[in-house]
Amino acid sequence: GALEIKGDAAPPGLRGDVAEELRALRDEIGASREPVGDQGPAHVSDGAVVLTVGSSRACRRFLAKAAADGRTFEVLVAEGAPSGAGAAASEKLADALPPRVKVTLVPDASIFALAARCRVALVPGRAVLA
């Protein structure tokens, strides 16, 4: 039959079960950053142009791993108007990557025109779900 909850009453153990599932989900999401970041060398070739929105830890790791073996490539960072978050993101990326990797802040309006040059686009999950 259907579970019927009256008022604020919840079945015994429900709160603990939900908390346990949320912890497991948090751990799974946290553990996914490393494998995603480690895939940089497989997707970024020498001379590639990479477009990104923001600079999450996973994004920085992905690009740093791609640059670790001496590859030279360019990263285009969307400005993120109206907040301008892309400026901070491009600074973080420039600091995290070797000087041979060019990091350029680009206006959001130019992304459509630049996308054809890009081999890889890195978009955070929160941007996909927005």
Side-chain angles (χ1 to χ4, degrees):
L3 175 65
E4 186 176 319
I5 300 175
K6 295 181 182 181
D8 289 335
L14 178 63
R15 184 175 302 236
D17 292 345
V18 169
E20 183 179 329
E21 289 299 319
L22 288 173
R23 279 191 296 275
L25 182 60
R26 181 195 64 209
D27 293 345
E28 185 176 334
I29 290 170
S32 69
R33 285 189 181 118
E34 278 189 37
V36 168
D38 291 341
Q39 293 182 25
H43 297 284
V44 179
S45 58
D46 200 40
V49 178
V50 177
L51 174 65
T52 185
V53 177
S55 73
S56 65
R57 285 176 291 180
C59 173
R60 288 192 303 271
R61 182 180 175 99
F62 182 94
L63 295 169
K65 288 281 190 169
D69 64 355
R71 291 181 188 160
T72 300
F73 54 93
E74 183 176 4
V75 180
L76 305 178
V77 183
E79 71 178 327
S83 71
S90 65
E91 288 178 18
K92 282 183 183 178
L93 283 171
D95 290 342
L97 298 171
R100 71 177 177 282
V101 176
K102 183 179 176 186
V103 178
T104 306
L105 182 65
V106 297
D108 292 339
S110 67
I111 291 173
F112 179 75
L114 295 170
R117 294 182 41 213
C118 299
R119 169 134 169 65
V120 176
L122 299 176
V123 183
R126 67 180 179 279
V128 173
L129 297 174

